[in-house]
Amino acid sequence: MLERIHLLRNIGQFDNVSPAQDTALTPFSLIYGENGRGKTTLAAILRSLSTNNPTFVEERKRLGAEHAPHIIIKNAGAQCIYQNGAWSQSAPNIAIFDDLFVTENVCSGIDVQADHRRGLHELILGAQGVALNETLQTTSSELKRTISI
């Protein structure tokens, strides 16, 4: 059983994080928070640990970090350590139910990509706001064309 996260260093949003000693996980832990706070990074770490696939961690190496990711997680009384691109042991008993799980395991006939999700969360009310958004979209498109030239 996954018991606790001891250390998250140089991965995603986590520069050097050691959660408090009383921060324990249970057999059914729910992780939630605002966008950009590290939920997807935590899911990637746990998926990497459960599959023993370092790619999920390496893809989230902290930008500009001098050192490689270093992670310590307590699982079933033992420490699982990610260092030098590999786990000391895997934990196949962990299941992660996130967007990747849904993409791989649920067929709804509709494939919602990241660009679609961005549009789903956009709501602008009022003529002035709509006009400003149109200006923003036009400027953004022009910048993209300029950068790709």
Side-chain angles (χ1 to χ4, degrees):
M1 179 180 102
L2 188 63
E3 298 170 38
R4 108 179 259 286
I5 297 170
H6 285 279
L7 176 69
L8 300 172
R9 184 178 293 153
N10 298 324
I11 181 161
Q13 292 288 334
F14 309 106
D15 181 29
N16 188 8
V17 176
S18 295
Q21 290 292 345
D22 62 351
T23 308
L25 299 169
T26 65
F28 296 100
S29 293
L30 174 67
I31 298 171
Y32 66 95
E34 295 175 348
N35 290 342
R37 298 296 184 183
K39 299 177 303 293
T40 303
T41 298
L42 287 174
I45 291 167
L46 296 176
R47 182 167 281 109
S48 175
L49 176 61
S50 70
T51 62
N52 202 20
N53 182 348
T55 303
F56 294 112
V57 169
E58 292 301 319
E59 289 177 342
R60 296 196 160 271
K61 179 181 177 185
R62 188 168 172 81
L63 295 176
E66 185 178 335
H67 301 289
H70 183 197
I71 303 162
I72 302 173
I73 296 175
K74 187 174 181 183
N75 182 62
Q79 291 213 351
C80 301
I81 300 170
Y82 185 89
Q83 199 167 22
N84 300 320
W87 287 100
S88 59
Q89 61 187 29
S90 66
N93 60 331
I94 299 171
I96 300 97
F97 301 100
D98 62 352
D99 289 345
L100 182 58
F101 174 87
V102 172
T103 299
E104 291 177 345
N105 295 283
V106 178
C107 179
S108 66
I110 300 173
D111 186 18
V112 179
Q113 301 295 323
D115 287 342
H116 298 126
R117 283 191 204 103
R118 279 189 213 96
L120 291 174
H121 298 292
E122 185 175 281
L123 175 64
I124 299 171
L125 299 175
Q128 183 181 11
V130 170
L132 287 170
N133 183 55
E134 288 174 3
T135 302
L136 175 66
Q137 297 305 321
T138 301
T139 304
S140 177
S141 295
E142 290 171 1
L143 278 172
K144 286 178 185 175
R145 276 194 303 273
T146 303
I147 291 171
S148 64
I149 293 178

